[in-house]
Amino acid sequence: MVNTGMQLISFTCAVTGWIMAIAVTALPQWKVSAFIGSNILTSEIKWEGIWMNCIYQTTGHMQCKTYDSMLALPPDIQAARALMCLAIFMGWLSCTVSCCGMKCTTCAGDDRRAKAGIALSGGVLFILTGLCVLIPVSWTANTVVQDFYNPNVPLMHKRELGQAIYLGWASAVILMISGAVLSSTCPLMERGGRYRRGYIGRSFANSPATAPDPPKPITSNNLPLKEYV
């Protein structure tokens, strides 16, 4: 019963992390304008994502434009596109596999070994999904920090970390932790692939055989004893 509750909680958190990863992929706030020097009085803010760049004005108007050429993009954005799309697909696959391996579902019937293997596979897929989100987000953050402290980069081209970067880090952590918890809820297995049934505190499978106790004489205190000559 405890494992069933942990599976439900970890699966719900993993789905939440997957939805957050989808939002990170669509948001353009991967890189935002850095307010340095006289730029603090600027009337517009520039956002750069992996699919488009946007200009947000203080009047409330926003204009977005998709990138014209994919090959002309920096390597970090190209890798981010591929890995985030892979993360979305793997997240969908992880949700499907985990649903089949959870104890509260009827998939795989009563075969505990099959359901445990499916649940373990779903947890591992969630961990890989988190890694696919963590790599492009951290790579982009590293590029932004290096360009910010690079004196050769003009002030107008310097950027800061956007909201999508922090949301991506949170999504990756939730996915990896949920996948680890989901994998740890699988039943314990003995050597040879057999599940432990009954009393699991001590195993009597390999205990040495002991000789049975000798039979004891039957005595009765209710009947009188008689002597025969």
Side-chain angles (χ1 to χ4, degrees):
M1 195 66 181
V2 177
N3 286 343
T4 303
M6 290 297 296
Q7 281 185 341
L8 289 175
I9 294 174
S10 59
F11 178 76
T12 303
C13 293
V15 173
T16 303
W18 176 54
I19 296 175
M20 292 170 60
I22 297 176
V24 170
T25 306
L27 287 175
Q29 291 96 336
W30 285 60
K31 303 176 183 178
V32 298
S33 300
F35 299 107
I36 304 174
S38 60
N39 291 336
I40 194 172
L41 300 177
T42 184
S43 60
E44 60 183 23
I45 302 174
K46 294 181 180 180
W47 296 340
E48 296 181 8
I50 61 177
W51 304 102
M52 65 183 73
N53 54 9
C54 299
I55 298 177
Y56 179 79
Q57 299 178 353
T58 56
T59 57
H61 298 282
M62 184 174 62
Q63 296 179 352
C64 296
K65 179 183 178 182
T66 58
Y67 296 116
D68 297 329
S69 176
M70 184 184 69
L71 298 179
L73 295 175
D76 57 336
I77 296 182
Q78 294 184 13
R81 282 187 174 187
L83 290 175
M84 293 304 296
C85 291
L86 180 61
I88 293 175
F89 171 74
M90 291 186 63
W92 171 80
L93 183 62
S94 304
C95 294
T96 305
V97 173
S98 298
C99 286
C100 297
M102 295 181 65
K103 292 183 177 181
C104 57
T105 60
T106 58
C107 298
D110 295 332
D111 192 349
R112 296 175 57 191
R113 182 178 182 181
K115 291 181 73 68
I118 295 174
L120 180 61
S121 301
V124 173
L125 287 174
F126 274 125
I127 296 175
L128 295 178
T129 303
L131 290 176
C132 289
V133 177
L134 181 63
I135 292 174
V137 171
S138 301
W139 189 355
T140 304
N142 181 60
T143 302
V144 171
V145 172
Q146 286 183 350
D147 292 342
F148 186 85
Y149 291 105
N150 188 0
N152 297 325
V153 177
L155 295 179
M156 60 180 302
H157 293 297
K158 291 181 181 294
R159 297 291 182 263
E160 291 184 355
L161 302 179
Q163 294 85 351
I165 298 296
Y166 300 100
L167 187 62
W169 279 331
S171 173
V173 171
I174 292 175
L175 284 169
M176 289 188 291
I177 293 178
S178 301
V181 174
L182 187 62
S183 301
S184 64
T185 56
C186 298
L188 297 176
M189 297 181 67
E190 292 180 344
R191 295 180 180 178
R194 295 176 299 175
Y195 287 95
R196 297 180 179 179
R197 301 178 182 270
Y199 180 68
I200 61 175
R202 180 181 176 185
S203 177
F204 296 94
N206 298 324
S207 59
T210 57
D213 296 334
K216 297 181 180 179
I218 300 176
T219 59
S220 177
N221 298 326
N222 298 327
L223 297 178
L225 298 178
K226 296 183 180 180
E227 294 181 0
Y228 296 92
V229 181

